[in-house]
Each structure stands twice: as structure tokens, then as C-alpha cells.
Amino acid sequence: KPTGFQFLLFFLFFYETQSLTSYDVCSILLGTSTMLVWLGVIRYLGFFQKYNLLILTLRAALPNVIRFCCCAAMIYLGYCFCGWIVLGPYHVKFRSLNMVSECLFSLINGDDMFATFEKMQQKSYLVWLFSRIYLYSFISLFIYMVLSLFIALITDTYETVKHYQQEGFPETELRSFIAQCKDLPNSGRYRLEEESPITFFCCCKRS
């Protein structure tokens, strides 16, 4: 499996041999390779019990985080399309779908809130009233509920992993099933290798 360091060497070699003139493409590839190299160093910290807590938490929380983000993305896209259609002609930050997404993401992180409210043009009282309801509901929903649930999801996984490190990880279903069997190998309840299996012709003779 190729690593980020191998990608870095490959692109350096490609740059030197092919005389690549596009610095943007080369810088993106080299920057991504360098990032993958440093991310690959994290796996070596997994050998230490006190340093692999982040790795175990991310690995355990990743499936739930992906499912949660898929549900939250549906609500986010709904607000993006609604703001683009209704507020686009009246607000400079809602002129395109890309600008709407950037504006709403900034509002989630508590950035540029007052300017977003202030720049709303009061050409139509109905649209101005709708913009207030739209912005207040979005900020309240995502900051007070969605982000809080997201943090709680990560925190719950962190506490679970921390408890398992202190008390020991639970047994898997396979180990629990094997532990239920108390018979020894020489107890006579297991099929031995020299026993001939029952064939189709044997069944025909009995019938």
C-alpha cells in the first residue's frame, strides 16, 4: 500500500523529469502528500496506551459521525436552497449557492452574525420578516442542537473508550460463544479426523 512519503517522492521525481510548469497542481499534490506523511505518523503512536486515545476515539466514533453528518447535511442543504431562492435578490451573501453555503457555515461558527442581519435590504417587509425567521431558526437549530449533539456524540465515544482502557475491552461475540463450551477436546463430543463422513450412497442404502 503506497504511503504519503512515496507519493511525495513520486511527484518530486515527476516534477524534475517532466518540467511541470503548473505550480498550482504541483503545490496541491506536494502539499497533500506532505499532509499524508504526517498523518501516517499517528499510527506509530497507537503502540502507546496513553497516546492512542485520539485514534481509538476517532475509529469508534467515525460510523456514528458519518450517519449524523448525513442527516444534518439534509437540513443544511434545505436551508441553503431556501436562502438562495428567497434572499438571493436582496442580500449580497445569498447571491449564489456557494456564497449561501459559506455564509451559513460562518453563522454556525458564530462569525459575521451582525453583518448578515444588518445587510438585509428592507425593500420588502415580507422578505425582511422571513429573513429574520430564517436566520434565527437556522442559528438556533444548528448551534444549540446540531453542534451540541455532535459534541455529545464524540464525548460519549471518548468516555466509552476511556472506560474500556481502564476496565478492559469487552469480549467479542465469537469469544463469548467459544467460552460457553466447557467440553475438552478429548471428551468424545467432537468429530475426529478418522471418522468417515456420511455420504449420499450410505443414506440410499438405509432407505
Side-chain angles (χ1 to χ4, degrees), residues 88-151:
Y90 302 95
H91 202 294
V92 66
K93 294 185 178 181
F94 292 85
R95 295 294 171 83
S96 64
L97 192 60
N98 185 33
M99 296 177 65
V100 174
S101 179
E102 293 175 356
C103 177
L104 294 182
F105 188 78
S106 300
L107 291 177
I108 292 177
N109 293 275
D111 184 26
D112 210 15
M113 286 189 178
F114 179 76
T116 304
F117 281 94
E118 185 67 21
K119 291 182 180 180
M120 182 62 196
Q121 301 176 7
Q122 299 186 9
K123 293 183 180 180
S124 175
Y125 178 76
L126 182 61
V127 177
W128 179 85
L129 181 62
F130 176 84
S131 67
R132 266 37 188 178
I133 299 174
Y134 171 83
L135 293 175
Y136 278 121
S137 62
F138 176 81
I139 294 173
S140 302
L141 178 63
F142 273 84
I143 292 182
Y144 301 138
M145 295 183 62
V146 175
L147 288 183
S148 298
L149 290 175
F150 184 82
I151 296 174

Short mmCIF file of all heavy atoms in Angstrom, two decimals, residues 88-151:
data_model
loop_
_atom_site.label_atom_id
_atom_site.label_comp_id
_atom_site.label_asym_id
_atom_site.label_seq_id
_atom_site.Cartn_x
_atom_site.Cartn_y
_atom_site.Cartn_z
N GLY A 88 -31.68 35.66 -2.19
CA GLY A 88 -30.68 35.98 -3.18
C GLY A 88 -30.80 37.36 -3.80
O GLY A 88 -29.81 38.09 -3.90
N PRO A 89 -31.99 37.80 -4.20
CA PRO A 89 -32.10 39.14 -4.81
C PRO A 89 -31.94 40.29 -3.82
O PRO A 89 -31.79 41.45 -4.24
CB PRO A 89 -33.52 39.14 -5.40
CG PRO A 89 -33.90 37.70 -5.50
CD PRO A 89 -33.22 37.03 -4.36
N TYR A 90 -31.97 40.01 -2.52
CA TYR A 90 -31.97 41.08 -1.52
C TYR A 90 -30.71 41.14 -0.67
O TYR A 90 -30.50 42.12 0.02
CB TYR A 90 -33.17 40.92 -0.59
CG TYR A 90 -34.50 40.92 -1.30
CD1 TYR A 90 -35.12 39.74 -1.67
CD2 TYR A 90 -35.15 42.12 -1.61
CE1 TYR A 90 -36.34 39.75 -2.33
CE2 TYR A 90 -36.37 42.14 -2.26
CZ TYR A 90 -36.96 40.94 -2.62
OH TYR A 90 -38.17 40.95 -3.28
N HIS A 91 -29.90 40.08 -0.69
CA HIS A 91 -28.73 40.03 0.19
C HIS A 91 -27.53 39.61 -0.62
O HIS A 91 -27.58 38.65 -1.40
CB HIS A 91 -28.97 39.05 1.35
CG HIS A 91 -28.11 39.30 2.55
ND1 HIS A 91 -26.74 39.15 2.53
CD2 HIS A 91 -28.42 39.70 3.80
CE1 HIS A 91 -26.25 39.43 3.73
NE2 HIS A 91 -27.25 39.78 4.52
N VAL A 92 -26.40 40.31 -0.43
CA VAL A 92 -25.21 40.05 -1.22
C VAL A 92 -24.59 38.70 -0.88
O VAL A 92 -23.92 38.08 -1.71
CB VAL A 92 -24.19 41.19 -1.01
CG1 VAL A 92 -23.69 41.22 0.44
CG2 VAL A 92 -23.03 41.09 -1.99
N LYS A 93 -24.80 38.23 0.33
CA LYS A 93 -24.23 36.95 0.74
C LYS A 93 -25.05 35.74 0.30
O LYS A 93 -24.64 34.61 0.55
CB LYS A 93 -24.06 36.91 2.27
CG LYS A 93 -23.05 37.89 2.80
CD LYS A 93 -22.85 37.70 4.29
CE LYS A 93 -21.79 38.66 4.81
NZ LYS A 93 -21.56 38.48 6.27
N PHE A 94 -26.17 35.98 -0.32
CA PHE A 94 -27.03 34.90 -0.78
C PHE A 94 -27.20 34.92 -2.30
O PHE A 94 -28.17 34.38 -2.83
CB PHE A 94 -28.40 34.98 -0.11
CG PHE A 94 -28.37 34.71 1.37
CD1 PHE A 94 -28.06 35.73 2.26
CD2 PHE A 94 -28.63 33.45 1.86
CE1 PHE A 94 -28.03 35.48 3.63
CE2 PHE A 94 -28.60 33.19 3.23
CZ PHE A 94 -28.30 34.21 4.11
N ARG A 95 -26.26 35.55 -3.02
CA ARG A 95 -26.39 35.68 -4.47
C ARG A 95 -26.16 34.36 -5.20
O ARG A 95 -26.73 34.11 -6.25
CB ARG A 95 -25.41 36.73 -4.98
CG ARG A 95 -25.71 38.13 -4.48
CD ARG A 95 -27.03 38.64 -5.04
NE ARG A 95 -27.45 39.89 -4.44
CZ ARG A 95 -27.03 41.08 -4.81
NH1 ARG A 95 -26.15 41.18 -5.79
NH2 ARG A 95 -27.48 42.18 -4.21
N SER A 96 -25.32 33.50 -4.70
CA SER A 96 -25.06 32.20 -5.32
C SER A 96 -25.13 31.12 -4.25
O SER A 96 -25.05 31.39 -3.05
CB SER A 96 -23.69 32.18 -6.00
OG SER A 96 -22.65 32.35 -5.04
N LEU A 97 -25.25 29.88 -4.72
CA LEU A 97 -25.37 28.77 -3.78
C LEU A 97 -24.08 28.57 -3.00
O LEU A 97 -24.12 28.19 -1.82
CB LEU A 97 -25.73 27.49 -4.55
CG LEU A 97 -26.16 26.28 -3.72
CD1 LEU A 97 -27.39 26.61 -2.90
CD2 LEU A 97 -26.42 25.08 -4.61
N ASN A 98 -22.97 28.84 -3.62
CA ASN A 98 -21.69 28.73 -2.92
C ASN A 98 -21.56 29.79 -1.83
O ASN A 98 -21.10 29.50 -0.71
CB ASN A 98 -20.55 28.87 -3.93
CG ASN A 98 -19.18 28.65 -3.30
OD1 ASN A 98 -19.04 27.87 -2.37
ND2 ASN A 98 -18.18 29.34 -3.80
N MET A 99 -21.99 31.00 -2.12
CA MET A 99 -21.95 32.06 -1.11
C MET A 99 -22.91 31.79 0.03
O MET A 99 -22.62 32.10 1.19
CB MET A 99 -22.26 33.40 -1.77
CG MET A 99 -21.25 33.85 -2.81
SD MET A 99 -21.69 35.39 -3.62
CE MET A 99 -21.60 36.53 -2.24
N VAL A 100 -24.06 31.21 -0.27
CA VAL A 100 -25.01 30.85 0.79
C VAL A 100 -24.40 29.82 1.73
O VAL A 100 -24.50 29.93 2.96
CB VAL A 100 -26.32 30.33 0.18
CG1 VAL A 100 -27.25 29.82 1.27
CG2 VAL A 100 -27.00 31.40 -0.63
N SER A 101 -23.76 28.80 1.15
CA SER A 101 -23.13 27.76 1.98
C SER A 101 -22.03 28.35 2.85
O SER A 101 -21.91 28.00 4.04
CB SER A 101 -22.58 26.66 1.07
OG SER A 101 -21.95 25.65 1.84
N GLU A 102 -21.22 29.24 2.30
CA GLU A 102 -20.16 29.88 3.09
C GLU A 102 -20.73 30.75 4.19
O GLU A 102 -20.21 30.79 5.32
CB GLU A 102 -19.26 30.70 2.18
CG GLU A 102 -18.46 29.87 1.19
CD GLU A 102 -17.67 30.72 0.22
OE1 GLU A 102 -17.83 31.97 0.28
OE2 GLU A 102 -16.90 30.17 -0.59
N CYS A 103 -21.81 31.49 3.89
CA CYS A 103 -22.42 32.35 4.89
C CYS A 103 -23.02 31.55 6.05
O CYS A 103 -22.83 31.88 7.22
CB CYS A 103 -23.49 33.22 4.23
SG CYS A 103 -24.39 34.30 5.36
N LEU A 104 -23.74 30.47 5.71
CA LEU A 104 -24.36 29.66 6.75
C LEU A 104 -23.32 28.93 7.59
O LEU A 104 -23.48 28.77 8.80
CB LEU A 104 -25.33 28.66 6.12
CG LEU A 104 -26.56 29.26 5.42
CD1 LEU A 104 -27.46 28.16 4.88
CD2 LEU A 104 -27.33 30.17 6.36
N PHE A 105 -22.24 28.49 6.95
CA PHE A 105 -21.18 27.83 7.71
C PHE A 105 -20.51 28.82 8.67
O PHE A 105 -20.12 28.45 9.78
CB PHE A 105 -20.14 27.23 6.76
CG PHE A 105 -19.12 26.38 7.43
CD1 PHE A 105 -19.42 25.08 7.82
CD2 PHE A 105 -17.84 26.87 7.69
CE1 PHE A 105 -18.47 24.29 8.45
CE2 PHE A 105 -16.89 26.10 8.32
CZ PHE A 105 -17.21 24.80 8.70
N SER A 106 -20.37 30.06 8.24
CA SER A 106 -19.82 31.08 9.13
C SER A 106 -20.76 31.36 10.29
O SER A 106 -20.31 31.57 11.43
CB SER A 106 -19.55 32.37 8.35
OG SER A 106 -18.63 32.15 7.31
N LEU A 107 -22.06 31.35 10.03
CA LEU A 107 -23.02 31.58 11.10
C LEU A 107 -23.00 30.44 12.11
O LEU A 107 -23.20 30.67 13.32
CB LEU A 107 -24.43 31.72 10.51
CG LEU A 107 -24.70 32.99 9.70
CD1 LEU A 107 -26.10 32.95 9.11
CD2 LEU A 107 -24.52 34.23 10.55
N ILE A 108 -22.78 29.21 11.66
CA ILE A 108 -22.70 28.09 12.60
C ILE A 108 -21.56 28.28 13.57
O ILE A 108 -21.68 27.97 14.76
CB ILE A 108 -22.54 26.77 11.82
CG1 ILE A 108 -23.81 26.45 11.02
CG2 ILE A 108 -22.23 25.61 12.76
CD1 ILE A 108 -23.69 25.22 10.17
N ASN A 109 -20.43 28.81 13.08
CA ASN A 109 -19.27 29.03 13.93
C ASN A 109 -19.29 30.37 14.64
O ASN A 109 -18.29 30.78 15.24
CB ASN A 109 -18.00 28.92 13.08
CG ASN A 109 -17.78 27.53 12.56
OD1 ASN A 109 -17.20 26.67 13.23
ND2 ASN A 109 -18.24 27.26 11.34
N GLY A 110 -20.44 31.08 14.57
CA GLY A 110 -20.58 32.34 15.30
C GLY A 110 -19.84 33.50 14.68
O GLY A 110 -19.53 34.47 15.39
N ASP A 111 -19.57 33.45 13.39
CA ASP A 111 -18.81 34.51 12.73
C ASP A 111 -19.73 35.35 11.85
O ASP A 111 -20.59 34.84 11.16
CB ASP A 111 -17.70 33.89 11.87
CG ASP A 111 -16.81 34.94 11.24
OD1 ASP A 111 -16.71 36.03 11.81
OD2 ASP A 111 -16.21 34.65 10.19
N ASP A 112 -19.54 36.67 11.89
CA ASP A 112 -20.21 37.61 10.99
C ASP A 112 -21.73 37.57 11.12
O ASP A 112 -22.48 37.68 10.14
CB ASP A 112 -19.82 37.29 9.54
CG ASP A 112 -19.83 38.54 8.68
OD1 ASP A 112 -19.86 39.64 9.24
OD2 ASP A 112 -19.80 38.41 7.45
N MET A 113 -22.23 37.42 12.34
CA MET A 113 -23.68 37.36 12.54
C MET A 113 -24.34 38.72 12.36
O MET A 113 -25.33 38.86 11.64
CB MET A 113 -23.99 36.82 13.94
CG MET A 113 -23.78 35.33 14.11
SD MET A 113 -24.43 34.76 15.69
CE MET A 113 -24.08 33.01 15.56
N PHE A 114 -23.77 39.74 13.00
CA PHE A 114 -24.40 41.06 12.95
C PHE A 114 -24.41 41.61 11.53
O PHE A 114 -25.39 42.22 11.10
CB PHE A 114 -23.66 42.03 13.89
CG PHE A 114 -24.22 43.41 13.87
CD1 PHE A 114 -25.41 43.70 14.53
CD2 PHE A 114 -23.58 44.43 13.18
CE1 PHE A 114 -25.93 44.99 14.51
CE2 PHE A 114 -24.09 45.71 13.15
CZ PHE A 114 -25.28 45.99 13.82
N ALA A 115 -23.32 41.39 10.79
CA ALA A 115 -23.27 41.89 9.42
C ALA A 115 -24.29 41.21 8.53
O ALA A 115 -24.86 41.83 7.62
CB ALA A 115 -21.86 41.69 8.85
N THR A 116 -24.54 39.94 8.78
CA THR A 116 -25.54 39.22 7.98
C THR A 116 -26.93 39.77 8.23
O THR A 116 -27.73 39.95 7.30
CB THR A 116 -25.49 37.72 8.31
OG1 THR A 116 -24.16 37.23 8.11
CG2 THR A 116 -26.45 36.94 7.42
N PHE A 117 -27.25 40.08 9.48
CA PHE A 117 -28.55 40.67 9.80
C PHE A 117 -28.66 42.11 9.28
O PHE A 117 -29.71 42.54 8.80
CB PHE A 117 -28.78 40.65 11.31
CG PHE A 117 -29.21 39.31 11.84
CD1 PHE A 117 -28.28 38.40 12.33
CD2 PHE A 117 -30.54 38.95 11.85
CE1 PHE A 117 -28.68 37.19 12.84
CE2 PHE A 117 -30.96 37.73 12.35
CZ PHE A 117 -30.01 36.83 12.84
N GLU A 118 -27.56 42.84 9.36
CA GLU A 118 -27.60 44.26 9.06
C GLU A 118 -27.70 44.54 7.55
O GLU A 118 -28.35 45.51 7.14
CB GLU A 118 -26.34 44.94 9.61
CG GLU A 118 -26.31 46.45 9.46
CD GLU A 118 -27.37 47.15 10.30
OE1 GLU A 118 -27.84 46.53 11.28
OE2 GLU A 118 -27.70 48.31 9.99
N LYS A 119 -27.07 43.71 6.73
CA LYS A 119 -27.02 43.96 5.29
C LYS A 119 -28.28 43.55 4.56
O LYS A 119 -28.34 43.66 3.34
CB LYS A 119 -25.81 43.24 4.68
CG LYS A 119 -24.47 43.84 5.09
CD LYS A 119 -23.33 43.11 4.42
CE LYS A 119 -21.99 43.71 4.84
NZ LYS A 119 -20.85 43.00 4.21
N MET A 120 -29.26 43.06 5.26
CA MET A 120 -30.52 42.68 4.61
C MET A 120 -31.27 43.92 4.17
O MET A 120 -31.63 44.78 4.97
CB MET A 120 -31.38 41.85 5.58
CG MET A 120 -32.68 41.37 4.98
SD MET A 120 -32.38 40.28 3.58
CE MET A 120 -33.99 40.27 2.82
N GLN A 121 -31.50 44.05 2.87
CA GLN A 121 -32.17 45.23 2.33
C GLN A 121 -33.66 45.18 2.63
O GLN A 121 -34.33 44.17 2.37
CB GLN A 121 -31.94 45.30 0.81
CG GLN A 121 -30.47 45.39 0.43
CD GLN A 121 -30.29 45.37 -1.07
OE1 GLN A 121 -31.26 45.42 -1.82
NE2 GLN A 121 -29.03 45.31 -1.51
N GLN A 122 -34.18 46.26 3.16
CA GLN A 122 -35.59 46.31 3.55
C GLN A 122 -36.46 46.82 2.39
O GLN A 122 -37.21 47.78 2.52
CB GLN A 122 -35.76 47.19 4.79
CG GLN A 122 -35.01 46.68 6.00
CD GLN A 122 -35.31 47.50 7.24
OE1 GLN A 122 -36.21 48.34 7.25
NE2 GLN A 122 -34.57 47.26 8.30
N LYS A 123 -36.35 46.20 1.22
CA LYS A 123 -37.20 46.56 0.09
C LYS A 123 -38.58 45.93 0.20
O LYS A 123 -39.54 46.44 -0.33
CB LYS A 123 -36.52 46.12 -1.21
CG LYS A 123 -35.25 46.88 -1.52
CD LYS A 123 -34.67 46.45 -2.86
CE LYS A 123 -33.40 47.23 -3.16
NZ LYS A 123 -32.80 46.84 -4.47
N SER A 124 -38.64 44.82 0.87
CA SER A 124 -39.92 44.13 1.07
C SER A 124 -40.02 43.72 2.53
O SER A 124 -39.14 43.01 3.05
CB SER A 124 -40.02 42.90 0.15
OG SER A 124 -41.20 42.17 0.43
N TYR A 125 -41.07 44.16 3.19
CA TYR A 125 -41.22 43.84 4.62
C TYR A 125 -41.45 42.35 4.81
O TYR A 125 -40.98 41.77 5.80
CB TYR A 125 -42.39 44.63 5.20
CG TYR A 125 -42.65 44.31 6.66
CD1 TYR A 125 -41.83 44.84 7.65
CD2 TYR A 125 -43.70 43.49 7.03
CE1 TYR A 125 -42.05 44.53 8.98
CE2 TYR A 125 -43.94 43.18 8.35
CZ TYR A 125 -43.11 43.71 9.34
OH TYR A 125 -43.33 43.41 10.66
N LEU A 126 -42.15 41.72 3.88
CA LEU A 126 -42.40 40.28 3.99
C LEU A 126 -41.11 39.49 3.90
O LEU A 126 -40.88 38.57 4.70
CB LEU A 126 -43.37 39.84 2.90
CG LEU A 126 -43.78 38.36 2.91
CD1 LEU A 126 -44.48 38.01 4.22
CD2 LEU A 126 -44.67 38.04 1.72
N VAL A 127 -40.23 39.87 2.95
CA VAL A 127 -38.95 39.17 2.82
C VAL A 127 -38.06 39.49 4.01
O VAL A 127 -37.31 38.62 4.50
CB VAL A 127 -38.27 39.57 1.50
CG1 VAL A 127 -36.89 38.92 1.38
CG2 VAL A 127 -39.14 39.16 0.32
N TRP A 128 -38.10 40.71 4.50
CA TRP A 128 -37.30 41.07 5.69
C TRP A 128 -37.74 40.26 6.90
O TRP A 128 -36.91 39.77 7.66
CB TRP A 128 -37.46 42.56 5.96
CG TRP A 128 -36.70 43.02 7.17
CD1 TRP A 128 -35.40 43.39 7.23
CD2 TRP A 128 -37.21 43.14 8.50
NE1 TRP A 128 -35.04 43.75 8.51
CE2 TRP A 128 -36.14 43.59 9.33
CE3 TRP A 128 -38.45 42.92 9.09
CZ2 TRP A 128 -36.29 43.82 10.68
CZ3 TRP A 128 -38.60 43.13 10.46
CH2 TRP A 128 -37.53 43.59 11.23
N LEU A 129 -39.05 40.10 7.08
CA LEU A 129 -39.55 39.29 8.18
C LEU A 129 -39.17 37.83 8.01
O LEU A 129 -38.81 37.15 8.98
CB LEU A 129 -41.07 39.45 8.28
CG LEU A 129 -41.77 38.68 9.42
CD1 LEU A 129 -41.26 39.17 10.77
CD2 LEU A 129 -43.28 38.84 9.32
N PHE A 130 -39.25 37.35 6.78
CA PHE A 130 -38.86 35.96 6.51
C PHE A 130 -37.38 35.75 6.79
O PHE A 130 -36.98 34.69 7.29
CB PHE A 130 -39.17 35.60 5.05
CG PHE A 130 -38.71 34.22 4.67
CD1 PHE A 130 -39.49 33.12 4.94
CD2 PHE A 130 -37.49 34.05 4.01
CE1 PHE A 130 -39.06 31.84 4.59
CE2 PHE A 130 -37.05 32.78 3.66
CZ PHE A 130 -37.85 31.68 3.94
N SER A 131 -36.54 36.74 6.47
CA SER A 131 -35.11 36.60 6.71
C SER A 131 -34.80 36.49 8.19
O SER A 131 -33.91 35.74 8.59
CB SER A 131 -34.36 37.78 6.10
OG SER A 131 -34.68 38.99 6.79
N ARG A 132 -35.54 37.22 9.00
CA ARG A 132 -35.33 37.12 10.46
C ARG A 132 -35.70 35.75 10.98
O ARG A 132 -34.97 35.13 11.76
CB ARG A 132 -36.15 38.19 11.18
CG ARG A 132 -35.45 39.51 11.49
CD ARG A 132 -34.53 39.94 10.44
NE ARG A 132 -33.71 41.10 10.83
CZ ARG A 132 -32.81 41.64 10.07
NH1 ARG A 132 -32.57 41.13 8.88
NH2 ARG A 132 -32.10 42.69 10.47
N ILE A 133 -36.85 35.26 10.54
CA ILE A 133 -37.27 33.92 10.96
C ILE A 133 -36.29 32.86 10.45
O ILE A 133 -35.93 31.92 11.16
CB ILE A 133 -38.70 33.63 10.47
CG1 ILE A 133 -39.67 34.64 11.08
CG2 ILE A 133 -39.11 32.21 10.81
CD1 ILE A 133 -41.08 34.50 10.53
N TYR A 134 -35.83 33.04 9.22
CA TYR A 134 -34.90 32.10 8.59
C TYR A 134 -33.57 32.05 9.35
O TYR A 134 -33.06 30.97 9.68
CB TYR A 134 -34.69 32.52 7.14
CG TYR A 134 -33.61 31.78 6.41
CD1 TYR A 134 -33.85 30.54 5.82
CD2 TYR A 134 -32.33 32.35 6.28
CE1 TYR A 134 -32.85 29.88 5.14
CE2 TYR A 134 -31.34 31.69 5.59
CZ TYR A 134 -31.60 30.45 5.03
OH TYR A 134 -30.60 29.80 4.35
N LEU A 135 -33.00 33.22 9.64
CA LEU A 135 -31.70 33.26 10.30
C LEU A 135 -31.79 32.83 11.76
O LEU A 135 -30.93 32.08 12.24
CB LEU A 135 -31.12 34.68 10.21
CG LEU A 135 -30.74 35.15 8.80
CD1 LEU A 135 -30.30 36.61 8.82
CD2 LEU A 135 -29.63 34.28 8.23
N TYR A 136 -32.82 33.28 12.46
CA TYR A 136 -32.96 32.88 13.87
C TYR A 136 -33.17 31.38 14.01
O TYR A 136 -32.59 30.73 14.91
CB TYR A 136 -34.11 33.64 14.51
CG TYR A 136 -33.75 35.03 14.98
CD1 TYR A 136 -34.41 36.15 14.48
CD2 TYR A 136 -32.76 35.22 15.94
CE1 TYR A 136 -34.09 37.42 14.90
CE2 TYR A 136 -32.43 36.50 16.37
CZ TYR A 136 -33.10 37.60 15.85
OH TYR A 136 -32.76 38.87 16.25
N SER A 137 -33.99 30.80 13.14
CA SER A 137 -34.24 29.36 13.23
C SER A 137 -33.00 28.56 12.86
O SER A 137 -32.69 27.54 13.50
CB SER A 137 -35.40 28.98 12.31
OG SER A 137 -35.09 29.27 10.95
N PHE A 138 -32.26 29.02 11.84
CA PHE A 138 -31.05 28.28 11.46
C PHE A 138 -29.99 28.34 12.54
O PHE A 138 -29.39 27.31 12.89
CB PHE A 138 -30.49 28.88 10.15
CG PHE A 138 -29.20 28.26 9.72
CD1 PHE A 138 -29.18 27.06 9.05
CD2 PHE A 138 -27.98 28.88 10.01
CE1 PHE A 138 -27.99 26.48 8.65
CE2 PHE A 138 -26.79 28.31 9.61
CZ PHE A 138 -26.79 27.11 8.94
N ILE A 139 -29.75 29.52 13.09
CA ILE A 139 -28.73 29.65 14.14
C ILE A 139 -29.12 28.86 15.38
O ILE A 139 -28.29 28.16 15.98
CB ILE A 139 -28.52 31.14 14.48
CG1 ILE A 139 -27.91 31.87 13.27
CG2 ILE A 139 -27.62 31.30 15.70
CD1 ILE A 139 -27.82 33.36 13.44
N SER A 140 -30.37 28.94 15.77
CA SER A 140 -30.82 28.21 16.96
C SER A 140 -30.74 26.71 16.75
O SER A 140 -30.33 25.96 17.65
CB SER A 140 -32.26 28.61 17.31
OG SER A 140 -32.34 30.01 17.54
N LEU A 141 -31.13 26.25 15.57
CA LEU A 141 -31.14 24.82 15.31
C LEU A 141 -29.74 24.24 15.26
O LEU A 141 -29.46 23.21 15.89
CB LEU A 141 -31.88 24.54 13.99
CG LEU A 141 -31.94 23.08 13.53
CD1 LEU A 141 -32.71 22.24 14.52
CD2 LEU A 141 -32.56 22.99 12.14
N PHE A 142 -28.83 24.89 14.55
CA PHE A 142 -27.52 24.30 14.34
C PHE A 142 -26.56 24.55 15.50
O PHE A 142 -25.74 23.69 15.82
CB PHE A 142 -26.91 24.83 13.03
CG PHE A 142 -27.31 24.03 11.83
CD1 PHE A 142 -28.51 24.27 11.19
CD2 PHE A 142 -26.50 23.01 11.36
CE1 PHE A 142 -28.88 23.53 10.09
CE2 PHE A 142 -26.86 22.26 10.26
CZ PHE A 142 -28.06 22.53 9.62
N ILE A 143 -26.64 25.71 16.13
CA ILE A 143 -25.71 25.98 17.23
C ILE A 143 -26.16 25.29 18.51
O ILE A 143 -25.35 24.66 19.20
CB ILE A 143 -25.57 27.50 17.45
CG1 ILE A 143 -24.84 28.13 16.26
CG2 ILE A 143 -24.80 27.79 18.74
CD1 ILE A 143 -24.61 29.62 16.40
N TYR A 144 -27.43 25.38 18.82
CA TYR A 144 -27.92 24.85 20.10
C TYR A 144 -28.28 23.38 20.06
O TYR A 144 -28.31 22.72 21.11
CB TYR A 144 -29.13 25.65 20.57
CG TYR A 144 -28.86 27.12 20.74
CD1 TYR A 144 -29.77 28.07 20.32
CD2 TYR A 144 -27.67 27.56 21.30
CE1 TYR A 144 -29.52 29.43 20.46
CE2 TYR A 144 -27.40 28.91 21.44
CZ TYR A 144 -28.34 29.84 21.02
OH TYR A 144 -28.07 31.18 21.16
N MET A 145 -28.53 22.83 18.89
CA MET A 145 -28.95 21.43 18.82
C MET A 145 -27.96 20.56 18.05
O MET A 145 -27.43 19.59 18.60
CB MET A 145 -30.35 21.34 18.19
CG MET A 145 -31.43 21.98 19.02
SD MET A 145 -33.07 21.78 18.28
CE MET A 145 -33.24 20.01 18.30
N VAL A 146 -27.71 20.91 16.78
CA VAL A 146 -26.89 20.04 15.95
C VAL A 146 -25.45 19.97 16.46
O VAL A 146 -24.90 18.88 16.64
CB VAL A 146 -26.93 20.52 14.48
CG1 VAL A 146 -25.98 19.69 13.63
CG2 VAL A 146 -28.34 20.44 13.93
N LEU A 147 -24.85 21.11 16.73
CA LEU A 147 -23.48 21.10 17.23
C LEU A 147 -23.38 20.48 18.62
O LEU A 147 -22.40 19.79 18.92
CB LEU A 147 -22.91 22.53 17.25
CG LEU A 147 -22.59 23.16 15.90
CD1 LEU A 147 -21.97 24.53 16.09
CD2 LEU A 147 -21.65 22.27 15.10
N SER A 148 -24.38 20.72 19.46
CA SER A 148 -24.37 20.13 20.80
C SER A 148 -24.47 18.61 20.73
O SER A 148 -23.78 17.89 21.46
CB SER A 148 -25.52 20.70 21.63
OG SER A 148 -25.37 22.10 21.78
N LEU A 149 -25.33 18.11 19.83
CA LEU A 149 -25.44 16.66 19.67
C LEU A 149 -24.17 16.08 19.07
O LEU A 149 -23.75 14.97 19.44
CB LEU A 149 -26.64 16.33 18.78
CG LEU A 149 -28.02 16.58 19.38
CD1 LEU A 149 -29.11 16.33 18.35
CD2 LEU A 149 -28.24 15.69 20.60
N PHE A 150 -23.54 16.81 18.16
CA PHE A 150 -22.29 16.32 17.57
C PHE A 150 -21.19 16.22 18.63
O PHE A 150 -20.45 15.23 18.68
CB PHE A 150 -21.88 17.27 16.45
CG PHE A 150 -20.66 16.82 15.70
CD1 PHE A 150 -20.75 15.88 14.69
CD2 PHE A 150 -19.41 17.36 16.01
CE1 PHE A 150 -19.62 15.47 14.00
CE2 PHE A 150 -18.29 16.95 15.32
CZ PHE A 150 -18.39 16.01 14.32
N ILE A 151 -21.07 17.24 19.47
CA ILE A 151 -20.07 17.20 20.54
C ILE A 151 -20.40 16.11 21.55
O ILE A 151 -19.50 15.40 22.04
CB ILE A 151 -19.99 18.58 21.23
CG1 ILE A 151 -19.48 19.63 20.23
CG2 ILE A 151 -19.07 18.53 22.45
CD1 ILE A 151 -19.50 21.04 20.78
#
